[in-house]
Amino acid sequence: SCDDISDIDYNDVPEQLEKTLRQSVHDSRSLFNLNLAECESTLLPTQSTINTFACSFSVLEPSTQVDEVEKYKEQADQQQQEWIAFIVAATKQGPAQASQEVKCAPSEEQQLYLKQGPNLQNFIRGSVAFMSNAARFLKEIDEPLELQASLLERIQYRMDDRVSNAIHQNLASNQ
């Protein structure tokens, strides 16, 4: 523990501090700039990890430990090959084939609801008439809207002119 300060070697403090503050190689990496070799080196167990794993089972006999380690290696290699085969198959399959497999059909209840629903053709015919009426209205209302904007602008000008004249008269009468 750090209760006793006399145990700390002051010459080693800067070196230990640098080790803790130094950025790891993978801190600035993302999933997209890692290559397969780096993934294998970081994800697959190293020989020292396997040895540590094997040594932790000191109850087992040495030949059993080696068998366990070999079995683990074979399983890891098999899983890696299965994963690679899956990725290759998914890449070759592509999105077009994946979309062909999906079939969506409405159930009987949904079919009944759709048959009892409003007639789409009648709705479209009615909307065409409505849209033509709306377009005609927008053309007709365009001129009155311009006239209204022009009147508002003239009224604002006249009001500003009257206010300006009143201010000038007040200033002239005060002098």
Side-chain angles (χ1 to χ4, degrees), residues 59-122:
V59 177
L60 301 174
E61 296 178 15
S63 63
T64 309
Q65 291 177 0
V66 172
D67 292 341
E68 289 290 323
V69 170
E70 290 300 322
K71 187 177 175 183
Y72 177 76
K73 282 183 180 180
E74 289 173 4
Q75 287 177 350
D77 288 340
Q78 182 184 3
Q79 287 177 353
Q80 183 180 12
Q81 292 302 322
E82 288 174 1
W83 178 251
I84 290 172
F86 172 75
I87 296 296
V88 169
T91 306
K92 287 181 181 177
Q93 191 178 32
Q97 195 171 9
S99 65
Q100 291 174 356
E101 295 172 5
V102 177
K103 293 182 180 177
C104 182
S107 67
E108 292 178 19
E109 183 180 318
Q110 293 169 337
Q111 284 287 352
L112 183 64
Y113 175 78
L114 290 173
K115 288 178 183 176
Q116 292 176 351
N119 189 349
L120 183 63
Q121 291 176 345
N122 289 339

Side-chain angles (χ1 to χ4, degrees), residues 104-162:
C104 182
S107 67
E108 292 178 19
E109 183 180 318
Q110 293 169 337
Q111 284 287 352
L112 183 64
Y113 175 78
L114 290 173
K115 288 178 183 176
Q116 292 176 351
N119 189 349
L120 183 63
Q121 291 176 345
N122 289 339
F123 175 77
I124 291 174
R125 280 189 217 115
S127 66
V128 169
F130 173 78
M131 290 302 291
S132 64
N133 288 339
R136 189 184 58 202
F137 173 76
L138 289 175
K139 285 180 185 176
E140 291 174 0
I141 198 72
D142 191 33
E143 188 177 329
L145 288 176
E146 286 179 15
L147 181 62
Q148 180 185 17
S150 175
L151 286 172
L152 287 173
E153 187 178 314
R154 287 184 182 187
I155 291 171
Q156 187 65 43
Y157 174 76
R158 300 270 320 247
M159 288 177 62
D160 291 344
D161 189 40
R162 286 186 180 178

